[in-house]
Amino acid sequence: MNKLALDLDFIAAKSQGLWDELRGERVFITGGTGFFGCWIVESFCFVNRQLGLGAKATILTRDPDAFSQKCPHLASDRAVTLHVGDVRTFSFPEGEYRFVIHAATEASEKQAAEAPLEMLSTIIAGTERTLEFAVTHGVRKFLLTSSGAVYGKQPADLMHVAESYAGAPNSLDRSNVYAEGKRTAELLCALYQSGSLDCKIARCWAFCGPHLPLNRHFAIGNFIGDVLAGRPIRIQGDGTPRRSYLYAADLTVWLWTILFRAPALVPFNVGSSQDVSILELAQMVAATLNPQTEILVARQAVPGIPPLRYVPCVDRAQELLGLRQTIGLEECVRRTARWHAK
């Protein structure tokens, strides 16, 4: 049985009415092997079979063998074609496509620190190459997975960042390479927008769920990995920064809805507005998975210093598209741990 069966049923139920325009059409997906991409392809294949859409998906990948090993059931699906290439230079597949989901480039702190020019090139040149494909192959709707990083540092007195917030990253700080790349990617969408191509912008924040790596820089993944391995949860800082997390199945519903229903060039925050501190998150993960887990905090919090925040306002998604967070954080942690458990 597919370990994601419950989630895929949920996605199909929550996205009813979206799929008719995909019937008999083709969708081109970049970043199909990443966290977002795996969920997009999983849901596409499931709904395509369930509704008999007769749709096809072409997945751009640099390493088809790695994708086949990671997700053999997706790579072998008759509706899926793997197209080999780098997102910056890929050859265009033949024929017309009506939809593009551009999800290439992970938010990798390691790459940002060690190979920032490579990251910037992948985001900017990759977005332009994918847009060039879109305008020459009949694409009508193009979804860019952007990031909440485009707003820059969230002010301490701003509880939730709305799409209207005019802040920006410091362009002279090399650590902002990912954020500046995503800002330019959004600008490229505005430049390529036309009467025949609608560009949709999803500004994505923080997430959790199956397919999330447990050994990267994602705090929630690290904490779940610690508990599953029987280790103490280690917080590298003082535990005060505040974050929020949307479950991957909700994320998937939001992305498909934005692709099909969102107005062009109207950015939508994609995430949860229900924030927790990193220490509260560690305590919740431990309580949910193994209450005996020890929590080690590297530094004590300094009184009077406001916490760093990274929390979106999602009112626009709720009001214009009817989107809601459905799956709570504790259940999100349980499902993620269950999927990763041997």
Side-chain angles (χ1 to χ4, degrees):
M1 179 180 176
N2 190 330
K3 293 173 75 173
L4 297 180
L6 179 66
D7 289 324
L8 293 173
D9 284 336
F10 167 86
I11 292 167
K14 289 292 182 180
S15 60
Q16 279 185 339
L18 291 179
W19 300 95
D20 282 349
E21 61 183 295
L22 191 57
R23 192 172 298 277
E25 300 290 358
R26 295 201 290 175
V27 56
F28 185 74
I29 302 169
T30 74
T33 60
F35 175 65
F36 283 22
C38 283
W39 278 93
I40 291 166
V41 180
E42 289 270 15
S43 57
F44 166 82
C45 290
F46 181 80
V47 174
N48 193 42
R49 289 192 302 271
Q50 187 183 64
L51 300 183
L53 296 176
K56 303 290 185 182
T58 298
I59 314 300
L60 179 67
T61 176
R62 287 176 296 182
D63 191 343
D65 291 337
F67 181 63
S68 297
Q69 291 176 8
K70 179 180 181 181
C71 301
H73 61 296
L74 300 180
S76 62
D77 191 293
R78 289 185 295 178
V80 170
T81 299
L82 300 182
H83 186 74
V84 182
D86 186 293
V87 70
R88 297 165 290 188
T89 58
F90 67 93
S91 61
F92 294 164
E94 296 182 356
E96 289 200 341
Y97 289 74
R98 288 293 176 263
F99 306 95
V100 166
I101 299 176
H102 180 41
T105 307
E106 292 187 53
S108 168
E109 284 191 353
K110 185 175 188 295
Q111 187 185 42
E114 298 177 1
L117 291 174
E118 179 79 5
M119 171 175 274
L120 189 65
S121 169
T122 300
I123 298 173
I124 296 176
T127 300
E128 185 165 18
R129 183 68 177 168
T130 309
L131 283 163
E132 288 173 354
F133 166 76
V135 297
T136 55
H137 286 71
V139 173
R140 296 290 178 263
K141 294 182 179 180
F142 181 104
L143 173 64
L144 171 70
T145 59
S146 185
S147 171
V150 301
Y151 300 108
K153 184 178 179 180
Q154 183 171 343
D157 60 350
L158 183 62
M159 298 297 101
H160 300 84
V161 179
E163 294 87 350
S164 58
Y165 176 65
N170 177 1
S171 60
L172 297 181
D173 182 348
R174 59 184 289 137
S175 68
N176 289 326
V177 60
Y178 176 79
E180 289 293 350
K182 287 298 187 180
R183 284 170 61 84
T184 304
E186 291 190 10
L187 176 60
L188 283 167
C189 286
L191 296 173
Y192 276 83
Q193 169 74 24
S194 68
S196 59
L197 176 66
D198 282 342
C199 293
K200 319 298 184 79
I201 310 296
R203 289 179 178 164
C204 301
W205 291 67
F207 307 93
C208 185
H211 292 298
L212 182 75
L214 303 184
N215 58 352
R216 302 280 180 85
H217 66 281
F218 308 111
I220 193 167
N222 296 159
F223 296 167
I224 293 170
D226 287 337
V227 177
L228 292 180
R231 300 185 298 259
I233 291 177
R234 296 183 181 274
I235 297 174
Q236 300 303 319
D238 63 9
T240 61
R242 302 195 68 82
R243 301 287 185 269
S244 63
Y245 298 90
L246 188 69
Y247 184 58
D250 276 326
L251 161 69
T252 306
V253 172
W254 286 42
L255 291 179
W256 284 114
T257 302
I258 292 170
L259 172 68
F260 290 127
R261 295 283 175 82
L265 296 185
V266 176
F268 285 86
N269 284 336
V270 177
S272 169
S273 61
Q274 300 171 15
D275 61 300
V276 295
S277 74
I278 295 298
L279 177 57
E280 291 167 347
L281 175 66
Q283 293 167 338
M284 186 275 295
V285 170
T288 302
L289 301 181
N290 182 0
Q292 303 305 314
T293 301
E294 184 180 9
I295 299 172
L296 304 175
V297 184
R299 299 195 306 271
Q300 285 192 335
V302 178
I305 296 181
L308 298 174
R309 304 181 67 87
Y310 185 68
V311 185
C313 172
V314 294
D315 290 353
R316 178 178 289 177
Q318 293 177 359
E319 293 166 2
L320 297 188
L321 299 176
L323 294 168
R324 299 286 189 277
Q325 178 177 356
T326 305
I327 298 167
L329 187 55
E330 291 86 352
E331 179 64 14
C332 163
V333 168
R334 277 191 289 268
R335 293 192 193 186
T336 305
R338 191 181 307 131
W339 187 83
H340 278 283
K342 301 294 185 183

